[in-house]
Amino acid sequence: MTDRVTVTGAALALIARLTAKHGPLLFHLSGGCCDGSAPLCLPRGEFRLGGRDLCLGTAGGAPFCMADDTFAWWEHSQVVLDVVESRSGGFSLETPDGVRFIARARLFTDAELPGLAAPVPAQDVP
């Protein structure tokens, strides 16, 4: 089975550092004009997921969620969570470190599509 979310080594290392400092995490990709491909990384429980949010999988043990209308754009793509240097502001936990998580995309192959698990409603994620 192919995962809908994968994580680069750099992103895994950053997730481990942030988890050690802040506890369990959650990722949310809003897809809005200001966030684009930069998912928010927040302490789990400090971001209210909505009834339209879906969880596509996990990133370093943290749920990776997005709204159903954003998923419509990502449905045929694997999320590849990575890290880039950035001096942008924001609420995401990695911002003070001068880096930013970024969601890259890789199209699923025709052979991978039938084996993909459907995303689950975010409120069903423990």
Side-chain angles (χ1 to χ4, degrees):
M1 180 183 275
T2 303
D3 293 325
R4 288 192 175 274
V5 179
T6 62
V7 187
T8 66
L12 277 175
L14 182 55
I15 292 168
R17 279 198 332 264
L18 293 172
T19 299
K21 184 174 182 178
H22 300 282
L25 305 175
L26 169 91
F27 287 94
H28 190 273
L29 182 66
S30 76
C33 66
C34 298
D35 292 323
S37 62
L40 288 174
C41 176
L42 301 164
R44 197 186 242 172
E46 291 191 21
F47 181 79
R48 187 176 187 146
L49 293 165
R52 293 182 35 220
D53 284 317
L54 302 171
C55 181
L56 279 62
T58 59
F64 191 99
C65 305
M66 63 179 66
D68 57 0
D69 58 344
T70 304
F71 177 71
W73 291 99
W74 284 85
E75 183 176 6
H76 300 290
S77 299
Q78 184 177 56
V79 176
V80 181
L81 188 64
D82 201 359
V83 178
V84 294
E85 289 186 26
S86 174
R87 294 170 79 43
S88 64
F91 301 107
S92 198
L93 292 176
E94 78 282 5
T95 302
D97 293 340
V99 295
R100 187 80 167 130
F101 285 108
I102 186 168
R104 301 183 192 277
R106 179 192 70 83
L107 286 176
F108 291 117
T109 66
D110 289 341
E112 291 172 320
L113 288 171
L116 291 173
V120 298
Q123 60 265 28
D124 294 347
V125 175

